[in-house]
């Protein structure tokens, strides 16, 4: 059903030129997070602390926000955690993809999938050489343009065929982040992203 939805409503757009993975040049890896929920929302409640403890010595973080502007405390945490935070609501999907290309985003992570206010069209235009489906839509998007899905054995059982269009990232034992602020005790830093195998066969660890 996801593949049929993609084919009928969000097919791959091949208007823009193909992006080649950037060769290692000593620059920080640029990771773009795309969401409509950088505010008081379940996504931010889970992800806020992760954004804050991201390894900034190796990664440069970009937040692309296309949801309602709610200036609550979780929005402030989001804007503070990112190196660059942009409100892209007025832009078309193609324009957002071009903006990500302008900033030379290496890895684009979609936190929405097919949920409310989602914009899969951004990724249909190929915003980055590596594109990942994570958290907001815990299942395959059925698209040829999402390269990976971050999922544990609950979302995609190891046994049998996973039936996903995306390649499942390996060694993920727990796909969900957790903000220690909302727990009874502080949690240890979890390895949410274990590895990304980009098209040039380079292995990139995110934490």
């Amino acid at each position: 059903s996801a593949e049929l939805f993609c084919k009928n409503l969000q097919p791959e757009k091949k208007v823009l030129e193909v992006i080649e993975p950037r060769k290692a040049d000593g620059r920080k890896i640029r990771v773009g997070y795309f969401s409509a929920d950088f505010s008081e929302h379940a996504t931010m409640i889970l992800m806020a602390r992760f954004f804050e403890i991201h390894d900034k010595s190796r990664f440069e973080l970009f937040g692309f926000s296309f949801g309602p502007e709610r200036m609550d405390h979780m929005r402030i945490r989001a804007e503070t955690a990112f190196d660059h935070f942009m409100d892209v609501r007025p832009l078309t999907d193609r324009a957002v993809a071009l903006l990500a290309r302008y900033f030379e985003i290496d890895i684009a992570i979609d936190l929405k999938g097919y949920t409310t206010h989602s914009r899969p069209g951004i990724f249909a235009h190929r915003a980055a050489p590596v594109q990942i489906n994570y958290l907001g839509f815990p299942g395959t998007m059925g698209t040829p343009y999402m390269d990976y899905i971050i999922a544990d054995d609950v979302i995609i059982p190891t046994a049998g065929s996973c039936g996903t269009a995306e390649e499942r990232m390996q060694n993920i034992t727990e796909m969900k982040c957790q903000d220690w602020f909302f727990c009874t005790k502080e949690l240890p830093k979890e390895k949410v992203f274990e590895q990304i195998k980009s098209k040039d066969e380079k292995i990139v660890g995110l934490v």
Side-chain angles (χ1 to χ4, degrees):
S1 59
E3 290 182 353
L4 289 174
F5 179 86
C6 168
K7 182 178 180 180
N8 293 328
L9 297 178
Q10 290 295 344
E12 186 172 17
K13 311 292 194 302
K14 296 185 177 180
V15 178
L16 302 179
E17 63 183 53
V18 175
I19 309 176
E20 295 296 333
R22 178 176 56 85
K23 300 299 180 182
D25 57 6
R27 190 192 75 182
K28 293 180 182 179
I29 297 171
R30 295 180 176 178
V31 184
Y33 290 89
F34 296 73
S35 182
D37 303 320
F38 292 120
S39 58
E40 187 71 45
H41 184 277
T43 296
M44 269 302 294
I45 290 174
L46 293 173
M47 292 291 291
R49 185 61 179 157
F50 175 80
F51 294 144
E52 291 167 348
I53 64 175
H54 224 297
D55 187 351
K56 300 296 182 65
S57 69
R58 299 167 59 205
F59 301 94
E60 188 174 359
L61 302 191
F62 291 74
F64 295 84
S65 175
F66 43 80
E69 185 175 2
R70 302 188 183 100
M71 291 308 297
D72 51 39
H73 72 289
M74 295 303 285
R75 174 65 171 237
I76 294 172
R77 285 184 70 181
E79 293 187 1
T80 303
F82 284 99
D83 297 300
H84 313 275
F85 191 88
M86 291 159 278
D87 183 350
V88 297
R89 285 177 299 166
L91 304 181
T92 65
D93 291 344
R94 182 177 184 274
V96 177
L98 285 171
L99 183 64
R101 288 171 174 235
Y102 172 79
F103 284 112
E104 297 184 316
I105 300 300
D106 298 300
I107 303 167
I109 300 178
D110 180 15
L111 298 175
K112 291 299 297 177
Y114 292 137
T115 57
T116 304
H117 301 305
S118 64
R119 293 182 61 176
I122 294 171
F123 307 96
H125 284 287
R126 181 59 70 171
V130 175
Q131 301 190 145
I132 301 174
N133 168 23
Y134 176 52
L135 192 65
F137 187 75
T140 181
M141 291 179 65
T143 74
Y145 46 82
M146 299 307 291
D147 304 302
Y148 297 93
I149 180 172
I150 297 177
D152 55 23
D153 290 340
V154 175
I155 303 301
I156 304 176
T158 302
S161 173
C162 67
T164 64
E166 308 93 333
E167 180 178 342
R168 178 184 170 182
M169 295 175 66
Q170 300 301 309
N171 303 320
I172 303 298
T173 57
E174 170 62 59
M175 70 161 285
K176 182 170 68 67
C177 295
Q178 180 64 63
D179 188 340
W180 63 265
F181 180 79
F182 294 94
C183 300
T184 56
K185 62 180 180 179
E186 184 168 349
L187 296 178
K189 181 178 178 181
E190 300 178 33
K191 290 187 176 181
V192 179
F193 302 115
E194 290 290 340
Q195 59 184 8
I196 291 177
K197 184 180 181 183
S198 65
K199 292 181 170 41
D200 61 356
E201 303 299 313
K202 179 181 177 183
I203 301 299
V204 182
L206 286 189
V207 291

